[in-house]
Amino acid sequence: MKQQFTVAACQLFDVQDDLERSLETIIDFATHASERGAMLVCFPECYLQGYIVEERQARRRAIDLASRQFAEILRKLESVQPTLVIGMIEKAGESLHITAVVVKRGKLLGHHRKNRLASFERLFTPGAETPIFEVDGLRFGINICYELQVPERAAAVANQGASLVVCPCYNMLHPENAETWKEKHNAIRAERTRETGLWLLSSDVTGERDGQISYGPTAVIDPRGEVVTQVPLMEEGLLLHEILV
């Protein structure tokens, strides 16, 4: 018998290197989502510290999941009801990873390290696994941004019996590229859902920063490749949708 799950995603103005502000935003949006019945909330790629590909800055911002600093972050998330998927920059020994952590009531359930990296992300080490998470009966995996361009990454989620792929993204681009890609992001994601039969939940940043722009998009796409709901481009907002799986 199929079940209904209310999932949520946030389209947020880009925040750089302001951990306290990022955490406040995460808690605020997750609380609003919880009040509207959401059991899972997704936040953008690297949202916790801000996406950066300059190595010195990335190393300064990176957080070890075994550190006291991360334990304090988890403590601050203890009162948040929904399960959270939060993008961050992770430090593991000398390696840096683009990571999404899965957190429930201040407990780390696991993490996904971005397997496929864009050419300008060479300072990061790619992940080697595709973990699957099951929360309150909903089975899901994660693809982070560029991974969505590679069919094998969504297939690795579907092949483990998941129903949903959760996608933290960061698409802050030069204006010409942003305009070119504005409609392509959802088109590519729709290909992944048609190929796999998965639902897809994406979260992205928006706004302008340092001469770059991100329109989004933040959306839910059904297994037929239809965009069933989306936050308006260039607006900060919270998306909620009931999926039947």
Side-chain angles (χ1 to χ4, degrees):
M1 180 180 296
K2 290 190 173 183
Q3 293 178 272
Q4 280 190 333
F5 300 94
T6 300
V7 296
C10 303
Q11 185 163 287
L12 301 170
F13 296 130
D14 189 28
V15 174
Q16 291 288 316
D17 202 18
D18 191 338
L19 187 60
E20 290 304 313
R21 181 181 168 195
S22 296
L23 275 173
E24 288 174 4
T25 302
I26 288 168
I27 293 168
D28 184 48
F29 272 78
T31 300
H32 285 302
S34 178
E35 291 169 351
R36 296 169 62 185
M39 53 84 67
L40 175 70
V41 188
C42 180
F43 293 87
E45 179 181 18
C46 296
Y47 183 74
L48 189 63
Q49 305 111 303
Y51 181 95
I52 188 78
V53 292
E54 194 279 313
E55 184 168 6
R56 184 179 62 84
Q57 292 289 343
R59 289 196 177 277
R60 183 179 63 80
R61 297 183 193 184
I63 298 173
D64 191 319
L65 299 185
S67 66
R68 290 184 179 180
Q69 183 182 16
F70 190 69
E72 178 62 17
I73 290 168
L74 292 178
R75 187 191 66 77
K76 292 180 179 180
L77 296 173
E78 287 178 352
S79 63
V80 178
Q81 294 288 332
T83 298
L84 309 177
V85 177
I86 303 170
M88 65 174 290
I89 300 172
E90 180 199 355
K91 175 171 60 178
E94 292 302 311
S95 297
L96 298 180
H97 301 277
I98 295 176
T99 296
V101 291
V102 180
V103 176
K104 184 175 177 64
R105 298 296 302 271
K107 302 293 184 183
L108 178 64
L109 301 185
H111 62 281
H112 169 84
R113 292 170 173 165
K114 193 173 185 177
N115 280 251
R116 294 296 180 96
L117 302 170
S119 59
F120 48 82
E121 296 174 332
R122 292 192 182 96
L123 69 100
F124 298 102
T125 300
E129 300 178 355
T130 306
I132 299 296
F133 306 90
E134 187 165 343
V135 178
D136 300 329
L138 177 62
R139 190 170 173 86
F140 66 93
I142 297 170
N143 279 188
I144 301 176
C145 205
Y146 186 76
E147 291 187 288
L148 291 162
Q149 297 196 42
V150 185
E152 291 79 9
R153 301 313 316 142
V157 173
N159 290 342
Q160 297 183 74
S163 301
L164 171 71
V165 58
V166 180
C167 306
C169 298
Y170 184 93
N171 284 299
M172 187 68 68
L173 304 168
H174 292 293
E176 311 81 49
N177 287 340
E179 189 67 30
T180 298
W181 278 90
K182 183 164 62 172
E183 305 299 333
K184 289 184 178 181
H185 296 300
N186 275 345
I188 290 171
R189 296 167 194 179
E191 289 181 21
R192 303 291 87 85
T193 68
R194 287 192 292 267
E195 292 162 355
T196 60
L198 294 168
W199 284 85
L200 185 147
L201 174 71
S202 69
S203 173
D204 211 328
V205 295
T206 194
E208 299 184 45
R209 183 178 64 82
D210 299 334
Q212 295 187 316
I213 187 170
S214 178
Y215 292 104
T218 294
V220 171
I221 303 177
D222 72 16
R224 299 170 299 174
E226 299 292 330
V227 178
V228 294
T229 187
Q230 178 175 322
V231 178
L233 299 180
M234 288 298 289
E235 293 184 16
E236 192 171 66
L238 173 66
L239 166 159
L240 290 97
H241 191 76
E242 285 187 358
I243 63 172
L244 185 66
V245 299

